[in-house]
Amino acid sequence: MSACKRLLSVLRHRGASSVIRKVTTWSPVGAAFNAKQQRRLDLFEKNVGLFGVPELSSPDGFAVVQDRALRETEQLVEKACRSPPGAITVKTFDQLSDTLCRVADLADFVKVAHPDPAYREAAERTCIKIGTMVEKLNTNVELCNSLKNLLDSKDIMNSLDPETRRVAELFMFDFEISGIHLNEKKRKEAVNLNVQLLDLNNEFLVGSHTPNKIERQALPNHIHHHFSKDSRYIHIGGFHADASDDLVREVAYKIFLYPNALLMNTLEELLVCRNQLAKLVGYESYAHRGLKGTMAKSPENVMNFLQLLTDKLSDRTAQDFTMMRDMKAKLNPRNADLMPWDHPYFSGVLRAERFNIEPSLYSPFFSLGACMDGLNSLFSELYGVSLMAEHPSAGEVWSDDVRKLAVVHETEGLLGYIYCDFFQRPDKPHQDCHFTIRGGRQLEDGQYQLPVVVLMLSLAQPSKSAPTLLTPGMLENLFHEMGHAMHSMLGRTRYQHVTGTRCATDFAEVPSILMEYFATDYRVVNRFARHYQTGQPLPKSMVTRLCESKKVCGAADTQLQVFYAALDQVYHGTPQNRSTTDILKDLQQKFYGLPYIPNTAWQLRFSHLIGYGAKYYSYLMSRAVASMVWKQCFLRDPLNREMGERYRREMLAHGGSKEPMLMVEGMLQKSPSIEEFVDALVSDLNPDFETFIMDSEG
């Protein structure tokens, strides 16, 4: 049976299932998400294993899969070392990367998401085994030389296509980070620093999420109920930024950020190690190393971008803080000074007062099924792609409520699979994220290895009386994560090393942030936002208010992100003979404006320093590019197929196989400057931008 026929038969089966509805009728994909999942009981159905990997029908299968990958790796290393330099070298390296990544990526996901501890522990052991092999390969001089021989041969390199040349250079960059080009003594030093960093990264990450505690009698009794507590201590694991009581927010801020001497030492040591490693392998600083191959290119460009943005926002930021201060004085005249713990709360109060954005008013229009219908409709219009619900086979998914989507193009056929792990369950991480399980690549037989990804959200389960209902923020998050998924699905790179989201960090967020613009455009929202009981469409005025509310205190919110990005850059730049707290004090004054609070260390909660070290600016730069793409290419008509095809061709298709700025230039048909990036972010804060467009078309 062909893939398309099989999918149609699945859809016919799904369409027959019971769906929660009164007036509104859902499409098959909408029904799949609005109905409570019914498991088929078939005693004779074979367990196909997680993600269709037969060995993973039990936790013990991880050892089997891992050992096979390690044997294949040894064979591929031998092949790479004995092959003459040429395209075969890059192909073999990519096969090597694919062999390890297919096991490591899957295990990385299972170790955090599987409800069975036995699976999580087996996956963790596999991650360690594969990680050890990767470290071994990174210091294999003979393997590195096989690639170096190719890169040193100008004639052979010139005969290769641009994608193959770039992938060869990226593989060499990975080697150089490990110091393989150094003499034996320095190479050992680089290996030791990498080992140290693995431990320090983990130590800091765990510490940054560990609550602080204080004895119960140290706090007034009337605020105890806001926090978790035991017989002796109150435990504070967050900022409680939504608390209306000023004292609760202040206490949470001061205690949660109270410095931990051990964690402070960990951070200082981590930054020293990163700098030593970067210098050892030939970079001026860790930031210079981290920004190689990105859109920004250098720390100097990043700081220029952040300073320009600060200058352009300064008047608006000051106005925002004045509005917050006035609101605080109105609500609490005896304590009107605006403090860092006030910013998130009072910006929310101002939004609610001006635009009456009450999430519960929107949620009935945003049932999960309706939102999935909207995404399906949008992708169909832009790319000719449909999301088709499939029934997972026995043992294929890790929880009964996981939905499986086949992504099918109208002429190209099946593009890949998205597993949707959307619902809350015990021990599941509370985070919205995208996991690559298998990257796409061209196979020897001419077929294409289809990409497989997981999207993870933390939504409430549908009930017997109502489907899962999303707030506007949840809707935006869903569209954001689906942007990552479609980047993976629509990419058609030859090599899995650069598939989908495996690209420069400051480019990787562009497709996901662009989807946020679609999620708040009435012409898109009106195609799916229907009240789950009455079928009534979401009023246009509510979408307008939602869009405008985001701009309230938008300059101050953006400036806070600028401060975080600047702090990250300075921490990873040329070492300064100052503590991380002294650096934070200076930068908070220069790039934010609200006062530093003595005996606090916000940097110890900056967990992004691990995954986004020297790259936190990426969120802002990606948003600038997404804003430019939206305004230039989709604002006039967000459902334009010609523009959708161009966007796929110029930006989504290449993953990391093309210089990121070349992809941006191809889409915008010009090379944008840092000033234009800044102007794009600032213009997003202009009032009535969307309102003007919608009214002019209405």
Side-chain angles (χ1 to χ4, degrees), residues 537-583:
L538 180 67
K540 186 176 182 180
S541 60
M542 288 179 69
V543 178
T544 303
R545 289 207 310 273
L546 185 63
C547 292
E548 288 305 302
S549 73
K550 290 181 173 187
K551 299 169 189 175
V552 176
C553 299
D557 293 345
T558 302
Q559 196 58 53
L560 183 57
Q561 294 302 310
V562 170
F563 162 50
Y564 296 159
L567 187 67
D568 173 47
Q569 282 301 304
V570 174
Y571 278 170
H572 290 104
T574 305
Q576 302 187 21
N577 193 24
R578 298 189 295 162
S579 71
T580 55
T581 301
D582 285 340
I583 293 170

Side-chain angles (χ1 to χ4, degrees), residues 517-688:
Y517 288 87
F518 286 98
T520 50
D521 187 285
Y522 182 72
R523 294 160 296 178
V524 175
V525 174
N526 186 49
R527 295 169 70 87
F528 68 86
R530 297 285 182 275
H531 197 287
Y532 77 98
Q533 290 175 310
T534 67
Q536 174 195 355
L538 180 67
K540 186 176 182 180
S541 60
M542 288 179 69
V543 178
T544 303
R545 289 207 310 273
L546 185 63
C547 292
E548 288 305 302
S549 73
K550 290 181 173 187
K551 299 169 189 175
V552 176
C553 299
D557 293 345
T558 302
Q559 196 58 53
L560 183 57
Q561 294 302 310
V562 170
F563 162 50
Y564 296 159
L567 187 67
D568 173 47
Q569 282 301 304
V570 174
Y571 278 170
H572 290 104
T574 305
Q576 302 187 21
N577 193 24
R578 298 189 295 162
S579 71
T580 55
T581 301
D582 285 340
I583 293 170
L584 181 141
K585 281 185 200 173
D586 283 356
L587 292 176
Q588 185 163 335
Q589 182 179 7
K590 182 178 180 183
F591 286 103
Y592 186 36
L594 295 187
Y596 166 77
I597 305 302
N599 294 315
T600 63
W602 183 87
Q603 70 272 27
L604 299 185
R605 300 298 181 181
F606 196 5
S607 58
H608 282 82
L609 288 173
I610 302 307
Y612 284 81
K615 296 177 182 177
Y616 191 82
Y617 77 92
S618 296
Y619 291 111
L620 287 166
M621 193 164 279
S622 286
R623 183 164 293 281
V625 173
S627 174
M628 294 178 79
V629 170
W630 171 256
K631 288 166 194 160
Q632 185 175 315
C633 306
F634 292 107
L635 180 59
R636 186 171 296 280
D637 178 5
L639 304 170
N640 186 293
R641 177 64 177 272
E642 187 181 338
M643 202 55 76
E645 293 289 358
R646 184 169 123 200
Y647 175 52
R648 180 187 181 188
R649 185 174 65 248
E650 297 292 348
M651 293 185 80
L652 297 180
H654 306 289
S657 68
K658 198 172 176 182
E659 286 277 352
M661 196 55 89
L662 290 178
M663 292 189 272
V664 174
E665 288 171 11
M667 189 66 199
L668 298 177
Q669 299 183 330
K670 67 174 183 180
S671 179
S673 64
I674 294 290
E675 289 81 2
E676 287 174 303
F677 283 166
V678 168
D679 289 343
L681 289 172
V682 173
S683 72
D684 273 356
L685 302 176
N686 290 337
D688 300 322

Side-chain angles (χ1 to χ4, degrees), residues 177-242:
I177 285 174
S178 300
I180 200 159
H181 56 297
L182 304 172
N183 63 40
E184 190 174 352
K185 183 186 173 187
K186 288 186 175 179
R187 194 160 63 242
K188 281 183 180 174
E189 193 181 337
V191 170
N192 289 336
L193 284 168
N194 274 310
V195 170
Q196 270 182 270
L197 281 169
L198 281 174
D199 291 338
L200 289 167
N201 286 346
N202 188 54
E203 207 176 303
F204 183 77
L205 204 53
V206 170
S208 70
H209 291 110
T210 302
N212 275 344
K213 63 184 181 181
I214 190 169
E215 292 196 350
R216 292 172 66 124
Q217 66 263 30
L219 297 183
N221 286 333
H222 74 277
I223 65 170
H224 283 198
H225 68 280
H226 288 278
F227 310 109
S228 63
K229 50 194 177 293
D230 56 32
S231 58
R232 184 176 174 187
Y233 293 103
I234 288 176
H235 300 265
I236 298 183
F239 292 105
H240 292 258
D242 294 331

Side-chain angles (χ1 to χ4, degrees), residues 248-514:
V248 171
R249 296 195 310 278
E250 179 179 353
V251 162
Y253 187 93
K254 288 180 174 178
I255 295 172
F256 186 55
L257 295 185
Y258 191 80
N260 175 311
L262 287 175
L263 195 59
M264 190 74 82
N265 288 338
T266 299
L267 176 59
E268 303 273 3
E269 198 178 337
L270 186 152
L271 295 174
V272 167
C273 274
R274 283 180 171 178
N275 182 66
Q276 286 176 344
L277 181 60
K279 299 274 274 191
L280 189 64
V281 298
Y283 290 91
E284 193 177 323
S285 70
Y286 186 84
H288 284 87
R289 193 203 93 171
L291 295 177
K292 183 173 178 179
T294 61
M295 286 196 294
K297 291 187 168 55
S298 73
E300 293 77 18
N301 285 341
V302 172
M303 291 307 290
N304 184 28
F305 169 63
L306 298 175
Q307 187 62 60
L308 271 173
L309 187 51
T310 299
D311 294 343
K312 286 277 181 87
L313 289 176
S314 60
D315 289 345
R316 296 191 199 204
T317 302
Q319 288 168 12
D320 286 352
F321 284 144
T322 298
M323 287 193 302
M324 291 183 220
R325 202 171 282 112
D326 291 346
M327 178 58 76
K328 187 175 182 183
K330 179 179 167 184
L331 297 178
N332 188 357
R334 290 178 301 171
N335 183 17
D337 290 338
L338 192 69
M339 307 304 280
W341 53 81
D342 293 324
H343 177 164
Y345 177 72
F346 284 106
S347 60
V349 169
L350 286 162
R351 286 186 194 102
E353 183 186 65
R354 289 195 180 190
F355 292 102
N356 188 28
I357 303 301
E358 172 50 54
S360 63
L361 298 176
Y362 287 81
S363 292
F365 297 92
F366 294 149
S367 72
L368 178 57
C371 297
M372 294 304 295
D373 263 348
L375 285 162
N376 189 32
S377 169
L378 178 63
F379 296 149
S380 178
E381 293 282 355
L382 289 178
Y383 315 121
V385 161
S386 298
L387 305 176
M388 295 187 170
E390 279 199 359
H391 244 310
S393 300
E396 186 179 352
V397 294
W398 49 101
S399 179
D400 287 349
D401 56 17
V402 173
R403 286 13 177 213
K404 180 184 179 184
L405 295 177
V407 181
V408 182
H409 190 273
E410 60 193 17
T411 58
E412 297 169 36
L414 186 61
L415 297 181
Y417 290 104
I418 303 171
Y419 289 85
C420 300
D421 187 357
F422 284 174
F423 302 107
Q424 296 166 354
R425 62 175 175 272
D427 295 328
K428 179 182 173 182
H430 286 279
Q431 60 190 91
D432 298 342
C433 47
H434 163 274
F435 293 86
T436 297
I437 303 299
R438 183 177 72 199
R441 72 183 181 104
Q442 198 71 49
L443 299 173
E444 294 288 340
D445 61 4
Q447 297 291 309
Y448 197 78
Q449 177 172 292
L450 298 177
V452 175
V453 304
V454 173
L455 293 189
M456 184 187 281
L457 304 176
S458 296
L459 305 176
Q461 291 273 1
S463 67
K464 288 182 180 178
S465 59
T468 298
L469 302 177
L470 277 60
T471 64
M474 292 172 184
L475 168 71
E476 211 167 276
N477 288 349
L478 172 63
F479 271 59
H480 179 103
E481 297 304 332
M482 195 59 84
H484 284 308
M486 294 309 288
H487 196 181
S488 294
M489 294 297 113
L490 293 172
R492 277 300 178 265
T493 53
R494 189 179 313 171
Y495 303 103
Q496 75 80 39
H497 192 63
V498 289
T499 185
T501 55
R502 288 177 183 158
C503 55
T505 308
D506 57 6
F507 182 82
E509 292 295 325
V510 173
S512 51
I513 293 173
L514 181 62

